[in-house]
Amino acid sequence: MQNIVVVGGCGFIGANFIHLVLRERPDIAILNLDALTYAGNLANLEDVSSNPRLRFCRVDIGDRAALEKALENETFSAVVNFAAETHVDRSILGPDAFVRTNILGTSHLLDIVRKRQGIRLLQVSTDEVYGSLGDDGAFTEQTPIQPSSPYSASKASADLLVQAYHHTFGLDAVITRCSNNYGPYQFPEKLIPLMIINARSGKPLPVYGSGGNVRDWIHVEDHCRGVLVALERGRSGEVYNFGGAAERRNIDIVHAIADRLCGNRDLVRFVQDRPGHDWRYAMDFQKAATQLDWAPRYAFDAGLQATMDWYIANEAWWQAVLNQEYRDYYERLYGKR
Ligand code: NAD
Ligand code: DAU
């Protein structure tokens, strides 16, 4: 049995990754470390909670002593780091938690891992570190880092630390950078789940600016498969881009959700734009295709339908996260728009 540590496994992508590994890699056992922030949810792993190949420890990677203690008696061959503060709008409201978790927390992980032998660290990063594109072109792994938001700046900082640990200490590290994910268990602050639950609840659908901004959407399972093969076959010190080959304007996604869930577009509202809003992201993932034999499997329209079906079938899951913290955040962000 191979033991791996998944950090941030109670969030959207981390939980989907754990489901995938438990399903498809019977020889891997997982220790899941997560601080259970507002975005971390044990319900995301409820159906696998009794699996003997999965253990959980609540720990904050910003707390170095607690992290050391959680790992001191553990033997493992890899760490996959999903843990982060992840929402751009929250980073604009207040960057401190982003600096602490995304930079300091990653630095703690790196320092603990490098003092042991034979451990691979996979850092889950984002296309947002490359900044914004105009109407043409796509990010490659050679595109210079040029982050726009406090969130993406903190993720870029973490990437630089990972590369520095590889260069300076020979740490076996791989970085993956992915475009916008969608799918089950995504916290309803991000575009697609927010629009789905607002449409289901008869609430306004707030579209920033003109709605013309473009994202490249990837189903979370495709991203998780990419992380897994990069962990297993990625070359040490390398960066791998993943994308969904599904560029869409925000307004077209919101219309698709409104058409399906409301039958009309009456709830769509154009609201004040996000400060510093990146215009467009697009990923060139030829390197992952060539070196890792990876390609996205989901077609966007089918994946979006399946995601809407999941939220309809799992209303209890999302109703449970619409707590006071969520309502306060919602009022703070959207109240003034
Ligand atoms: P998420 O916000 O849904 O989950 C983050 C998880 O990290 C939560 O379980 C949370 O409790 C945990 N966490 C936060 N701070 C922590 C701390 N100090 N110590 C331990 N755990 C902590 O995020 P997500 O969307 O699943 O993203 C996972 C990773 O993938 C992030 O690193 C993000 O930058 C990256 N990423 C996300 C996307 C996307 O579209 N969502 C795309 C590319 C890359
Ligand atoms: O590209 C990868 C990144 O994708 C990840 O690194 C981030 O963790 C993740 O949050 C996501 O960032 P975005 O800012 O692109 O995602 P978000 O869902 O917040 O917004 C997607 C687009 O929709 C963006 O152009 C802003 C717009 N938007 C978003 C919200 C929440 C709206 O128009 N209205 C909204 O209410």
Side-chain angles (χ1 to χ4, degrees), residues 36-329:
L36 297 179
T37 67
Y38 78 90
N41 188 348
L42 283 171
N44 297 357
L45 294 167
E46 201 170 82
D47 54 338
V48 288
S49 60
S50 59
N51 190 314
R53 291 191 288 122
L54 177 63
R55 290 178 301 135
F56 172 65
C57 175
R58 185 173 190 173
V59 65
D60 171 0
I61 59 169
D63 179 343
R64 186 189 174 109
L67 184 59
E68 271 171 349
K69 190 160 184 296
L71 292 175
E72 70 184 350
N73 296 319
E74 299 291 337
T75 306
F76 50 95
S77 58
V79 174
V80 185
N81 182 27
F82 293 94
E85 290 291 335
T86 60
H87 193 38
V88 172
D89 293 316
R90 287 187 193 251
S91 81
I92 295 167
L93 292 172
D96 289 4
F98 289 75
V99 172
R100 183 172 182 277
T101 292
N102 302 2
I103 306 176
L104 188 63
T106 303
S107 150
H108 290 157
L109 276 173
L110 288 165
D111 220 39
I112 290 168
V113 166
R114 77 138 173 125
K115 289 180 180 145
R116 304 198 182 190
Q117 298 303 309
I119 298 173
R120 163 162 282 199
L121 184 134
L122 188 141
Q123 175 70 2
V124 179
S125 186
T126 167
D127 60 0
E128 296 198 14
V129 302
Y130 296 123
S132 181
L133 291 167
D135 290 331
D136 303 316
F139 300 128
T140 74
E141 290 82 356
Q142 272 72 50
T143 303
I145 302 289
Q146 208 174 348
S148 312
S149 70
Y151 161 70
S152 52
S154 69
K155 291 294 293 184
S157 305
D159 286 11
L160 294 176
L161 279 171
V162 173
Q163 287 173 329
Y165 268 69
H166 174 75
H167 183 79
T168 307
F169 303 110
L171 182 82
D172 179 8
V174 175
I175 295 172
T176 59
R177 296 187 180 137
C178 190
S179 62
N180 286 62
N181 286 219
Y182 68 94
Y185 303 111
Q186 188 167 28
F187 192 82
E189 63 189 353
K190 309 285 171 26
L191 181 73
I192 287 181
L194 181 82
M195 296 302 155
I196 294 173
I197 71 160
N198 280 14
R200 288 289 285 177
S201 314
K203 288 174 61 181
L205 309 179
V207 177
Y208 298 164
S210 67
N213 303 65
V214 172
R215 299 290 182 265
D216 170 15
W217 294 93
I218 182 171
H219 192 278
V220 64
E221 193 178 305
D222 282 329
H223 180 196
C224 290
R225 282 186 195 286
V227 171
L228 185 56
V229 291
L231 181 69
E232 293 174 336
R233 300 203 295 275
R235 296 184 194 162
S236 192
E238 296 282 321
V239 175
Y240 294 94
N241 282 355
F242 299 118
E247 286 186 52
R248 296 288 186 280
R249 295 189 309 159
N250 294 337
I251 189 64
D252 295 330
I253 290 182
V254 175
H255 282 162
I257 293 171
D259 290 349
R260 158 91 194 275
L261 299 183
C262 309
N264 62 59
R265 299 174 179 181
D266 295 351
L267 290 173
V268 176
R269 302 277 184 282
F270 290 92
V271 301
Q272 190 180 39
D273 208 352
R274 173 187 279 173
H277 196 175
D278 283 341
W279 177 246
R280 175 172 162 264
Y281 306 141
M283 287 299 246
D284 179 331
F285 51 83
Q286 193 54 44
K287 181 175 173 182
T290 309
Q291 288 189 19
L292 305 175
D293 195 23
W294 177 91
R297 297 180 183 178
Y298 276 83
F300 179 72
D301 292 346
L304 181 62
Q305 288 294 328
T307 303
M308 288 191 268
D309 291 343
W310 187 88
Y311 279 86
I312 291 168
N314 290 277
E315 180 161 345
W317 178 89
W318 56 263
Q319 287 288 0
V321 302
L322 304 185
N323 55 20
Q324 192 60 46
E325 192 280 338
Y326 183 84
R327 285 193 291 273
D328 290 346
Y329 157 77

